[in-house]
Amino acid sequence: MHLARYPRRFIAHLPTPLERMDRLSKELGGPEIWIKRDDCTGLSTGGNKTRKLEFLMAEAEMEGADVVITQGATQSNHARQTAAFAAKLGLQCHLLLEDRTGSNNANYKNNGNVLLDHLHGATTETRPGGADMAAEMEAVAEKMRATGKKVYTIPGGGSNPTGALGYVNCAYELLGQVNNSGTKIDHIVHATGSAGTQAGLITGLKATNANIPLLGIGVRAPKAKQEENVYNLAVKTAEKLGCAGVVSREDVVANTDYVGEGYGIPTAGGMEAIQMFAELESILLDPVYSAKGAAGLIDLIRKGYFKKGERVVFIHTGGAAALFGYDAAFDFSGRWVAN
Ligand SMILES: *Cc1c(COP(=O)(O)O)cnc(C)c1O
């Protein structure tokens, strides 16, 4: 596999660290838990979309784009990383943000990722929850093209075969780290949403015959739909890489028991995960993605899904910027000391 064949804009801080979480492992008393710090990719508070955007933005530049448009939920980490990447390349960035949660909280609407979108110079417009965001984005792109702009559109989450190459590369990077340090790993776990992260990882793991099971913890779609989305994208990604057929349907496993009420709505398990990671490991999770992924990891450890003596790598996909849009979900009143 030769990823240097594909255009890429090198911006991410790579390789991201791979660290052992001693205090969390001890607290849970199960497997040895490691964390791959893709929250530390470096671009405007980091996150998993930066790896995908290295390939997507290179394609935008090659096509001579002067504007990139993408879409996501109000507190989209993907939108924020796209805005930051575009600023670095001197491209205009326009974002369509879907009001997927219906929250009217002022910080949810203006702080966190939304603040950063605007700081990076992006323009934004909103759509009501349930809008067909792909169609909305295409309509906006057409209007801009009619004014003579050269527009490059990026799908939600940057999840297409070009973006997924970033996570094929992450699979190689992780394998390099564990192979060169004699760290045999038994499982990889991460939060899965628009499917590009899991599709890229499974393609990279299968193409190298790594034989490490990958588990995506869903944040939105039901299991069958999530697995189908990941599988379909993995098939196309493998075709793009010239290794068609390496991924079979059984390789794609998602557990969607931790979504809760819906996308972007915090869960009790997720809030517990945020506090555990922050207090035991000084690592910040976000309520929308990484906390639900970690809630799945924690619950499955408690249920004995992973064995003592095994090593589990949790890929931290980022998102902590969203915490500042979700302050209302926390109650720290018990920690204030009267003076
Ligand atoms: C987008 C995102 C994910 C999910 O990745 P997909 O490639 O969309 O499945 C997970 N965690 C965070 C913090 C994200 O922003």
Side-chain angles (χ1 to χ4, degrees):
M1 207 63 52
H2 193 181
L3 284 173
R5 286 196 197 104
Y6 303 91
R8 177 170 170 195
R9 256 302 198 150
F10 290 84
I11 276 188
H13 295 181
L14 302 179
T16 57
L18 177 67
E19 300 166 342
R20 203 172 63 200
M21 296 197 285
D22 289 329
R23 297 193 72 216
L24 184 68
S25 303
K26 186 161 176 254
E27 174 75 21
L28 293 169
E32 197 175 286
I33 315 167
W34 290 62
I35 187 161
K36 172 86 173 137
R37 299 294 304 272
D38 274 18
D39 56 321
C40 300
T41 51
L43 184 67
S44 183
T45 75
N48 64 338
K49 303 313 181 303
T50 303
R51 287 188 190 268
K52 302 178 183 183
L53 288 164
E54 286 198 325
F55 291 93
L56 292 162
M57 294 298 246
E59 204 171 84
E61 277 192 319
M62 262 192 15
E63 293 180 11
D66 41 42
V67 188
V68 295
I69 310 182
T70 196
Q71 50 97 356
T74 305
Q75 283 292 337
S76 167
N77 302 298
H78 164 67
R80 178 251 308 160
Q81 287 164 83
T82 304
F85 215 128
K88 181 77 179 162
L89 303 188
L91 299 173
Q92 189 188 329
C93 178
H94 186 66
L95 304 170
L96 271 75
L97 302 178
E98 179 192 357
D99 180 15
R100 226 177 265 172
T101 65
S103 168
N104 277 320
N105 181 280
N107 280 339
Y108 179 79
K109 284 186 158 343
N110 304 306
N111 205 337
N113 282 302
V114 183
L115 172 69
L116 300 183
D117 295 340
H118 292 144
L119 274 179
H120 291 301
T123 49
T124 56
E125 57 184 301
T126 57
R127 291 290 182 278
D132 180 344
M133 293 300 284
E136 293 290 328
M137 180 166 76
E138 217 23 72
V140 171
E142 270 319 304
K143 258 195 218 156
M144 280 199 194
R145 288 183 184 116
T147 70
K149 294 272 190 196
K150 189 92 174 82
V151 180
Y152 182 84
T153 57
I154 299 177
S159 287
N160 63 16
T162 300
L165 293 179
Y167 270 87
V168 173
N169 192 44
C170 178
Y172 299 161
E173 184 181 297
L174 175 59
L175 284 170
Q177 287 171 313
V178 298
N179 288 344
N180 290 313
S181 59
T183 314
K184 179 181 163 294
I185 58 177
D186 302 291
H187 298 273
I188 302 172
V189 179
H190 68 94
T192 182
S194 68
T197 301
Q198 190 169 2
L201 286 170
I202 196 63
T203 306
L205 291 169
K206 291 298 289 187
T208 51
N209 194 27
N211 202 16
I212 304 167
L214 177 69
L215 175 63
I217 308 285
V219 301
R220 189 177 186 190
K223 179 178 169 73
K225 182 74 193 152
Q226 186 65 24
E227 290 182 346
E228 182 188 317
N229 290 347
V230 172
Y231 176 65
N232 290 340
L233 181 52
V235 166
K236 286 190 210 147
T237 305
E239 277 167 13
K240 185 177 177 85
L241 281 163
C243 57
V246 286
V247 179
S248 43
R249 180 62 186 77
E250 315 80 75
D251 299 324
V252 176
V253 184
N255 180 327
T256 58
D257 294 346
Y258 304 93
V259 175
E261 270 179 66
Y263 175 90
I265 301 177
T267 59
M271 300 310 280
E272 182 197 20
I274 290 176
Q275 295 213 317
M276 285 180 87
F277 273 64
E279 291 174 18
L280 296 169
E281 297 293 341
S282 300
I283 289 172
L284 300 175
L285 304 176
D286 76 288
V288 183
Y289 294 98
S290 53
K292 289 185 181 175
L297 173 75
I298 291 166
D299 188 55
L300 291 170
I301 289 173
R302 286 174 175 156
K303 288 181 170 151
Y305 180 89
F306 307 108
K307 308 276 167 302
K308 227 182 155 82
E310 285 189 326
R311 277 198 191 107
V312 182
V313 174
F314 179 69
I315 300 183
H316 188 343
T317 42
L323 284 170
F324 308 106
Y326 275 94
D327 63 312
F330 296 91
D331 176 12
F332 293 117
S333 57
R335 292 194 184 175
W336 291 104
V337 178
N339 55 13

